[in-house]
Amino acid sequence: MGAVIAFPAPEPEEPRRRRSKKRSNGQGSIYQRKDGRWAGAAYVLTADGTFKRVPVYGKSAEEVDAKLTEIKSRSNRGLPAEATGWTMASYADYWMEHVASPKLRPTTLVRYRSSVARYVVPAIGKRRLTALTPADVRLMLSKAAATRTAGRKGQPEDERPTVSPRTVQQVHAVLRAMLSQAVREELLARNVARLVQVPTPDREEIHPWTEAEARAFLASARAHRLHALFVVALALGLRRGELLGLRWSDLDLNAGQLRVWQTLQRVRGDGVVFGPPKSRRSRRVLTMPAVVVQALKRHRNVQEQERRLADGQWQETGLVFTTATGRHVEPRNLNTAFGRLIARAGVRLIRFHDLRHTCATLLLAAGVSPRVVMDILGHSQIAVTMNIYGHVMPAMQQEAAGHIDAALSEQEETGDDGDD
């Protein structure tokens, strides 16, 4: 009998990975793994603007297909792939870089960054964006309200005051704006920050100059090289940044027109920055009173003399209010000069911004319509004007009552009882 030759049994073939039906180009591929689970991948947008291949997994081809469709849809709407796993800290970075930064003024952006870095991230930065609750927001605001300010040099920490209610309100506003964007991008179903109320801080009481004080200050400061700046501030209520950013090209001294179109701000980390006014309504064209036109004409002559005396050191900026060598005026230096002029004039000490309040108060007290005052100041809404300067309203109401009283009394004195 012949020898029996044993052949090795063939090894079992690995089951072929099952693939789903072919998907369109760019929609990602789907296949079954060795462990039986299904997987897929597609190229989608990332936070830095590039595209990368992102895998998804599921128990069936249909589940993976749905996940791929979802991430592709989000990518097509401009939502980065990382959005699904964002924490509050990572979303805050994304929001500041891609949403807030392009549309906010430099000074506002600095304030927003500070609020996020000091209050939002330390309190809720590790929290998942989608897991944030009203209780988390309330806890964050409580921690912010308990934060101590820097205080005076050498002042013990327990004696330093806590931050103002206005600061807490601003922190809440920043978080609310951030989460509103997440809702718009369909990352969240609701904005939990809107469910948390914060106390409205008491409006800061303003102390504008009287007409006599304003006159006394201008008379005392007449010899100062920036006298015209203070005239414009008191007559037209321009903000400090609007005054320092004013250019000769923004003025038409013959027509008596002044255009508020840019501001000058010193921004922490960025230095001096020229930018647009505070809001769309802050971009405005104003009619200058004769006293302003005359002051600016005198100022132009003074600047021409300084240009000649600079002897080649003059730096042409096109700005109306400059240093003696043509450079921009530092905001802090203007505040310092203003304080010295107040002391010289012997009038009540006020902040530079109170020149704007003085302008508005004098206009309202003179009977100018609040709507006109709103346009002059560049307020976004009439309610802003009324809320800030409501203290002037009683006097205006008294004057109005006097006009009505005079009109009706005159009618009654005619003896016309209307019986005819």
Side-chain angles (χ1 to χ4, degrees):
M1 187 172 180
V4 177
I5 301 176
F7 291 96
E11 294 183 3
E13 293 184 4
E14 291 186 9
R16 290 187 177 182
R17 292 192 304 179
R18 293 171 57 197
R19 290 185 176 271
S20 66
K21 63 181 181 180
K22 186 173 179 61
R23 291 165 57 85
S24 301
N25 187 34
Q27 293 202 342
S29 58
I30 299 177
Y31 59 90
Q32 190 175 29
R33 306 187 336 162
K34 293 181 181 180
D35 60 5
R37 296 181 69 203
W38 288 80
Y43 283 95
V44 294
L45 181 69
T46 62
D48 63 3
T50 62
F51 285 80
K52 72 176 183 180
R53 189 174 175 83
V54 174
V56 295
Y57 306 96
K59 295 180 180 179
S60 66
E62 290 74 16
E63 182 181 350
V64 172
D65 182 63
K67 289 182 178 180
L68 284 177
T69 300
E70 173 62 18
I71 66 171
K72 288 297 296 183
S73 173
R74 296 169 68 85
S75 179
N76 292 337
R77 298 200 307 272
L79 302 180
E82 290 88 340
T84 54
W86 267 335
T87 62
M88 284 301 302
S90 59
Y91 183 72
D93 289 341
Y94 164 78
W95 180 77
M96 290 297 307
E97 180 68 24
H98 298 282
V99 180
S101 184
K103 68 179 182 180
L104 293 179
R105 298 168 68 240
T107 50
T108 305
L109 188 61
V110 167
R111 190 170 67 248
Y112 274 37
R113 289 190 188 279
S114 176
S115 294
V116 169
R118 294 188 62 187
Y119 305 108
V120 176
V121 171
I124 57 175
K126 295 181 180 179
R127 197 80 167 129
R128 285 287 219 187
L129 174 64
T130 54
L132 193 68
T133 66
D136 294 326
V137 176
R138 201 171 290 110
L139 179 62
M140 181 205 72
L141 294 175
S142 297
K143 289 182 177 179
T147 304
R148 301 280 182 177
T149 62
R152 300 187 305 274
K153 186 176 181 179
Q155 185 179 17
E157 184 176 352
D158 58 350
E159 295 181 8
R160 297 174 184 173
T162 56
V163 298
S164 67
R166 176 63 177 160
T167 297
V168 178
Q169 186 186 51
Q170 289 175 345
V171 173
H172 180 250
V174 171
L175 179 63
R176 191 174 65 240
M178 188 189 309
L179 297 183
S180 290
Q181 182 65 29
V183 171
R184 281 191 291 270
E185 294 181 345
E186 299 180 13
L187 302 177
L188 296 174
R190 63 175 183 169
N191 184 343
V192 294
R194 290 188 178 276
L195 304 178
V196 179
Q197 294 182 332
V198 294
T200 302
D202 295 332
R203 183 168 291 279
E204 183 180 359
E205 188 175 353
I206 62 174
H207 301 283
W209 275 336
T210 62
E211 182 179 339
E213 288 173 316
R215 286 180 178 274
F217 173 81
L218 290 179
S220 175
R222 186 174 177 81
H224 193 273
R225 58 182 303 279
L226 294 179
H227 173 259
L229 182 148
F230 301 113
V231 174
V232 176
L234 280 167
L236 295 176
L238 267 64
R239 301 174 178 91
R240 184 182 65 179
E242 294 171 344
L243 289 162
L244 297 182
L246 196 64
R247 300 161 295 193
W248 287 110
S249 59
D250 296 323
L251 303 180
D252 187 338
L253 297 180
N254 294 326
Q257 298 288 313
L258 180 150
R259 186 177 68 162
V260 181
W261 226 247
Q262 79 166 5
T263 64
L264 181 152
Q265 307 275 348
R266 175 163 284 282
V267 179
R268 192 186 331 158
D270 293 330
V272 173
V273 174
F274 290 94
K278 187 174 182 179
S279 66
R280 186 179 62 179
R281 289 201 63 92
S282 293
R283 288 193 174 196
R284 57 203 189 275
V285 177
L286 303 175
T287 299
M288 294 184 286
V291 64
V292 172
V293 174
Q294 293 167 5
L296 286 171
K297 286 181 177 179
R298 289 194 300 269
H299 178 73
R300 184 174 58 185
N301 293 335
V302 170
Q303 194 177 82
E304 287 296 332
Q305 293 175 6
E306 291 176 338
R307 181 183 282 104
R308 289 193 295 270
L309 292 174
D311 192 25
Q313 300 300 312
W314 182 267
Q315 180 175 319
E316 190 57 60
T317 59
L319 297 174
V320 175
F321 303 114
T322 66
T323 66
T325 56
R327 292 168 174 79
H328 68 271
V329 175
E330 282 288 342
R332 285 188 178 181
N333 292 347
L334 177 60
N335 287 350
T336 301
F338 179 56
R340 290 172 178 167
L341 289 172
I342 287 177
R344 183 189 304 173
V347 294
R348 182 164 44 92
L349 180 65
I350 62 172
R351 306 167 306 169
F352 188 89
H353 193 73
D354 289 326
L355 294 177
R356 177 173 168 83
H357 294 322
T358 300
C359 169
T361 302
L362 294 179
L363 288 173
L364 290 168
V368 177
S369 164
R371 173 71 198 197
V372 174
V373 175
M374 167 191 148
D375 291 336
I376 292 174
L377 298 181
H379 284 157
S380 57
Q381 298 176 347
I382 188 68
V384 176
T385 310
M386 301 299 286
N387 289 339
I388 297 176
Y389 304 109
H391 65 285
V392 186
M393 296 302 119
M396 296 179 65
Q397 291 175 5
Q398 264 190 344
E399 183 180 355
H403 289 313
I404 293 295
D405 186 52
L408 294 181
S409 297
E410 183 178 350
Q411 180 72 15
E412 289 181 0
E413 289 171 3
T414 63
D416 185 0
D417 56 10
D419 289 339
D420 293 344

